[in-house]
Amino acid sequence: MADQNADKADKPSDSSILDLGELPPLQLTVMRTIMRETQVGYERLRQLAENLPTPIRQVDLDRALKTLLEDGWLTQTDTQEFKATLRRKASRLLNDAQSDSLPRDIWDSVDARPKPDSE
C-alpha cells in the first residue's frame, strides 16, 4: 500500500490534452465522453457509454474509471461527478507570459536595431 502512495506522489497531478494519446483505447473513449460533458455523474456516464457506436460494458467502464482516477486523469467532485484533470500546454503558458516583452514579428527587431555608421 505504501508503494501505491509513492507511485501517486511521482505522477503529475494533471496531464496535458496532448498526453491523452498515451491512453489505451477504452480509457481514451471514457475520457473523451467525460470531456464532452465537462463533468458527468456515474449514471449519465453509464448511459452515454452504452449508447456509443461500440458500447462499453459496465464492468469495463468501472475498471477504466478506477484506473483513470488512480492515475490522476480524473477527479470526482463533491457531487460524485467525474471531471477530467487537464492543464494547458506549458509552452503556451510561457508564450503568454512573454508576449508583452518579446516582439511579435522578427522584422520589429531588425528595424529597432541601431544602424551602423556608413564609414
Side-chain angles (χ1 to χ4, degrees), residues 9-42:
D10 292 340
K11 294 179 184 175
S13 61
D14 55 7
S15 300
S16 166
I17 197 161
L18 299 174
D19 298 326
L20 285 174
E22 298 173 6
L23 291 174
L26 177 65
Q27 292 176 18
L28 179 59
T29 301
V30 171
M31 284 294 293
R32 290 178 65 197
T33 303
I34 291 170
M35 288 171 28
R36 280 189 196 108
E37 298 282 319
T38 308
Q39 66 185 50
V40 62
Y42 178 77

